[in-house]
Amino acid sequence: MLSGKKILLGITGSIAAYKAPMLVRLLVKEGADVQVVMTPVAKDFVTPLTLSTVSGHPVMIEPFEPSDGSWNSHVDMGNWADLMVIAPLSANTMGKMAHGIADNLLLTTYLAAKCPVYFAPAMDLDMFQHPTTQENVNKLMAHGNKLIEAQVGELASGLTGAGRMEEPEQILQVIHRHFAITDGKLKGHKALVSAGPTFEAIDPVRFVGNHSSGKMGFAIAEALANQGADVTLVTGPTQLKTLSVGITRIDVTTAAEMQQAVEESYEKAGITVMSAAVSDYKPENPSPEKIKKTGEDLTIKLVPTHDILQTLGKNKRNDQLLVGFALETTDEHKNARKKLDNKNLDFIVLNSLKDNKAGFGKDTNKITIIDHAGEKEYEAKAKSEVAEDIVQTVIAHLAK
Ligand code: CTP
């Protein structure tokens, strides 16, 4: 997937540098040409020998070779690369980058780089939270660099908090996304995805909801972004995470909030996939106080929520593609076809609850894609692969 891409990997003096060889391996495995440039302190954390072995190129550290005076040109490297990634980025080098200090080869290369630059901070939580560091993160972003967010977790100090470098596999995903924006089949397309459940309050502590985990919708958002689409993901309550590159995430709780967020983004979206399990009903009068038990029966009147997809279908323009989901337990195909027509969809994804590899919270799913021309049944597979099938169907429909 990264065949022929020239990537400059900057490594600085942070304990997370021990993960850098893994990142190099992942990139090289995908066909990228990786040139490593390190700060002198980074050598204390990971050896140049390891990095030159996995990258297949001598590692650049000093501006010139002391033995023969030959020059390692930061300008040439900065011009050569399609992308520069600095991972891990220490507080020290971050501060220097933010202020134009250029006292080593990595910093001069950064200043000379003509390509986009991504940076992955890695440091202890107190250093990371310090206002100076936060200011420097913002400054680097204001200068056009892209942040690969530090994660929350166990740190080398033994403390737990924000400051962990993003994992190499995730950095690889960020790099994929970056190239998809210019090379992907959906480059230049805006997409809108709804995911997860909605929660409708009964009182301040209880709600009407459903078992949707959001996994399918998140996988679809990821697969669309991996093809270069600029995705807005509107999601109900879920623990799931997303990469920020290529995906703008909007978190909502209720059907009404989801409706508002979806409708705000719909006009600009050429592709809309509504996979959310929106609550069809909500309590008519949620109690402002917690309902006390009385020992008597309790009746809560539920009233319908707005059918978001139905409205989108009514307002659909010819240049928009609209995809819905159906989860049926009886007359599956007949009911899904009815929804395809009633909601004015281009195609509908029918989820089966009858297969033990499909359903809420699972990592696999089994679907049938139904459009106006016919239908195609797929094998049960990982939700990421199902998402890929759905995105390929989107691409095929756009080509019609
Ligand atoms: N949907 C929506 N807004 C709602 C309910 C559903 O946008 N209030 C969308 C879902 O995201 C999904 C599709 O409509 O893409 C089908 O949802 P489903 O609940 O299966 O169908 P309903 O139309 O609600 O019909 P029924 O409950 O009778 O099956």
Side-chain angles (χ1 to χ4, degrees):
M1 254 180 107
L2 296 174
S3 173
K5 300 294 182 203
K6 297 189 228 86
I7 297 172
L8 200 51
L9 177 64
I11 303 174
T12 72
S14 153
I15 186 69
Y18 82 90
K19 294 182 182 169
M22 185 52 76
L23 176 58
V24 175
R25 266 190 71 97
L26 292 171
L27 293 169
V28 169
K29 229 171 154 183
E30 299 225 358
D33 194 359
V34 182
Q35 174 63 60
V36 174
V37 54
M38 297 169 86
T39 61
V41 176
K43 284 189 296 187
D44 294 334
F45 294 90
V46 58
T47 76
L49 176 62
T50 308
L51 289 157
S52 62
T53 307
V54 287
S55 69
H57 295 295
V59 170
M60 309 277 200
I61 301 168
E62 302 297 342
F64 62 89
E65 293 303 324
S67 53
D68 61 7
S70 62
W71 195 38
N72 288 327
S73 170
H74 55 283
V75 177
D76 286 353
M77 272 199 287
N79 280 334
W80 167 84
D82 296 317
L83 180 70
M84 183 172 191
V85 180
I86 306 177
L89 177 58
S90 64
N92 178 45
T93 301
M94 186 193 290
K96 290 179 180 177
M97 283 166 67
H99 293 90
I101 295 168
D103 63 356
N104 63 40
L105 184 63
L106 190 153
L107 287 159
T108 51
T109 305
Y110 161 69
L111 284 175
K114 290 208 164 65
C115 59
V117 178
Y118 284 71
F119 64 104
M123 64 200 73
D124 209 51
L125 80 161
D126 294 321
M127 293 174 79
F128 189 61
Q129 275 165 1
H130 195 281
T132 310
T133 310
Q134 290 303 315
E135 231 170 67
N136 288 338
V137 168
N138 291 334
K139 212 170 240 177
L140 287 185
M141 289 201 289
H143 294 172
N145 303 291
K146 300 203 169 68
L147 171 67
I148 302 175
E149 276 171 47
Q151 301 300 300
V152 175
E154 204 177 302
L155 301 162
S157 59
L159 298 172
T160 299
R164 265 173 81 100
M165 186 180 83
E166 181 58 283
E167 294 301 323
E169 290 79 5
Q170 294 299 103
I171 297 178
L172 179 72
Q173 287 305 321
V174 170
I175 295 171
H176 277 160
R177 282 288 155 83
H178 170 79
F179 286 114
I181 290 164
T182 47
D183 300 349
K185 288 189 183 139
L186 294 176
K187 67 178 176 196
H189 286 265
K190 282 202 185 300
L192 170 63
V193 178
S194 74
T198 65
F199 290 173
E200 314 299 327
I202 295 171
D203 68 15
V205 288
R206 305 172 180 102
F207 57 83
V208 174
N210 59 69
H211 292 300
S212 169
S213 64
K215 283 181 184 172
M216 195 60 247
F218 274 58
I220 293 166
E222 304 276 343
L224 288 164
N226 285 343
Q227 289 291 353
D230 175 7
V231 181
T232 299
L233 172 63
V234 179
T235 177
T238 167
Q239 301 295 326
L240 299 175
K241 284 189 181 173
T242 27
L243 282 181
S244 55
V245 181
I247 300 180
T248 305
R249 173 174 174 163
I250 302 171
D251 286 274
V252 297
T253 305
T254 64
E257 287 168 10
M258 183 168 279
Q259 179 190 354
Q260 192 187 349
V262 163
E263 288 182 359
E264 273 168 17
S265 300
Y266 183 57
E267 205 185 313
K268 290 204 179 108
I271 303 160
T272 298
V273 183
M274 295 288 288
S275 70
V278 185
S279 186
D280 286 330
Y281 291 92
K282 63 175 183 184
E284 184 179 34
N285 292 309
S287 165
E289 307 298 339
K290 187 178 169 214
I291 299 171
K292 300 292 284 178
K293 69 172 172 291
T294 60
E296 301 292 313
D297 290 355
L298 175 66
T299 303
I300 297 168
K301 185 174 177 197
L302 300 179
V303 292
T305 58
H306 185 85
D307 191 325
I308 306 169
L309 185 56
Q310 185 104 42
T311 306
L312 301 187
K314 270 192 199 129
N315 299 330
K316 186 167 72 122
R317 299 187 309 264
N318 286 340
D319 63 337
Q320 286 181 305
L321 186 96
L322 185 58
V323 181
F325 268 67
L327 180 68
E328 308 289 342
T329 49
T330 50
D331 283 337
E332 293 178 307
H333 293 246
K334 200 173 124 213
N335 283 333
R337 282 205 167 277
K338 227 192 255 170
K339 274 178 203 167
L340 175 75
D341 291 333
N342 291 347
K343 298 195 182 189
N344 191 22
L345 309 178
D346 291 276
F347 67 86
I348 191 157
V349 181
L350 172 63
N351 278 297
S352 171
L353 264 189
K354 292 194 176 141
D355 194 288
N356 64 5
K357 287 197 176 138
F360 297 117
K362 300 225 167 95
D363 290 321
T364 50
N365 198 7
K366 179 161 171 45
I367 61 160
T368 304
I369 293 183
I370 304 174
D371 67 10
H372 298 284
E375 59 182 68
K376 183 170 177 189
E377 197 175 333
Y378 292 82
E379 293 299 307
K381 45 178 111 170
K383 283 187 173 163
S384 58
E385 294 171 57
V386 172
E388 195 49 48
D389 289 334
I390 294 168
V391 169
Q392 288 306 325
T393 311
V394 165
I395 292 168
H397 271 258
L398 288 176
K400 278 184 186 166

